[in-house]
Amino acid sequence: MSLRVRMWVLAVGGLGVALLLAGAFTHMPDFGGTWHPYGTRAVAEALRQHSANAVASVNFDQRAFDTMGEQAVFFGSVLGTVVVLRQAGDEHRTAPEPAFVSAPVRRYALLVLPVTVLTGLYVIAHGHLSPGGGFQGGVVAATALHLLYIAIDYRALQRVRSLTLFTLADAAGEAGYLLAGLAALVAGAAFLENVLPLGTFNTLSSAGTVPVLNAAVGVEVAAGVVVLLAQFLDQAIVIEPADGQGHRADGAAGAAPEGGRP
């Protein structure tokens, strides 16, 4: 196919998309109007399913299958990063030396660490009741652990960050979402259909499977972020040629990372 033909095909396709968009825009509700058909239906369905947070109801009930795809994208990203940055057979790692941290920074980081972890867990647990959820709370909880990196040094983070455990948790969160969908099939419903008791509105035990799926996402995201950051933090690479003269990846000669910062 020649360039001229390809350009004509592109032009026709682009014109078709433009016409479809123009037709859709002419039927959109007026800006600032009172007619919101999608929002009205979403809120009504959320209330019917006893979910106080309409956004969580959309994500984990009305379009739970789409959210499973989003979760799978993140899981695949973490898996791909682990595969690409894994330690090769001819590589070795040197433990970083501790770095000096001023007392105010150390005290502040250690003080807010448990508060930040608790905040992340709260956002996950209350995702079906208030703004937030598994994606947001998982990131907060995971990054909170890395305050140890700031308050003490990298070795302190390594002592509490079992990559084996967090890798298993990452896979468990991904599998938990799928198992919830399969459980609905066993119950005689559609895949990922909300089949659990809806409970009392605006309580933790409400919204059926919404908090279950939200928790699975929270576990997967929190563990995945920890594993992801571990791969990047361990990438202080020193290239050692055959002559034994080491050169850091940034071009400066050296033998190991300094200051406890990989």
Side-chain angles (χ1 to χ4, degrees):
M1 183 182 294
S2 65
L3 177 62
R4 186 183 186 88
V5 174
R6 290 199 299 268
M7 294 302 296
W8 272 108
V9 172
L10 176 62
V12 172
L15 178 61
V17 172
L19 292 175
L20 291 174
L21 291 176
F25 290 157
T26 57
H27 291 82
M28 288 182 64
D30 295 332
F31 182 77
T34 59
W35 185 62
H36 304 286
Y38 303 113
T40 301
R41 289 179 173 87
V43 172
E45 182 65 17
L47 294 176
R48 188 181 70 85
Q49 296 290 78
H50 292 191
S51 179
N53 185 1
V55 175
S57 178
V58 172
N59 289 336
F60 300 108
D61 193 356
Q62 301 172 37
R63 53 176 290 272
F65 188 80
D66 295 337
T67 302
M68 183 183 69
E70 297 170 2
Q71 183 192 26
V73 168
F74 178 74
F75 180 78
S77 301
V78 175
L79 180 61
T81 302
V82 171
V83 172
V84 172
L85 299 182
R86 71 189 186 280
Q87 185 174 355
D90 59 346
E91 295 178 347
H92 67 276
R93 293 179 178 174
T94 303
E97 297 180 358
F100 171 77
V101 179
S102 63
V105 173
R106 182 188 296 267
R107 286 195 297 266
Y108 179 77
L110 292 178
L111 178 64
V112 301
L113 190 152
V115 177
T116 309
V117 172
L118 184 61
T119 300
L121 297 178
Y122 178 91
V123 172
I124 295 174
H126 292 76
H128 60 297
L129 303 177
S130 57
F135 287 102
Q136 300 87 339
V139 173
V140 173
T143 53
L145 293 179
H146 292 76
L147 287 171
L148 284 174
Y149 180 31
I150 299 175
I152 306 176
D153 60 24
Y154 189 57
R155 296 180 300 177
L157 173 62
Q158 287 179 312
R159 284 194 290 268
V160 301
R161 187 201 63 189
S162 171
L163 287 184
T164 300
L165 178 61
F166 279 100
T167 301
L168 291 175
D170 186 20
E174 179 71 18
Y177 203 103
L178 293 173
L179 291 175
L182 294 176
L185 293 178
V186 173
F191 183 70
L192 288 174
E193 185 175 344
N194 197 336
V195 295
L196 292 180
L198 300 179
T200 304
F201 179 76
N202 207 25
T203 63
L204 286 176
S205 59
S206 63
T209 58
V210 172
V212 176
L213 297 177
N214 181 62
V217 169
V219 171
E220 196 268 328
V221 170
V225 169
V226 171
V227 174
L228 191 65
L229 291 178
Q231 301 305 314
F232 289 113
L233 289 175
D234 286 343
Q235 291 305 305
I237 300 175
V238 178
I239 302 174
E240 296 182 351
D243 59 6
Q245 296 296 323
H247 296 276
R248 292 180 64 97
D250 57 9
E258 297 180 355
R261 294 293 185 260

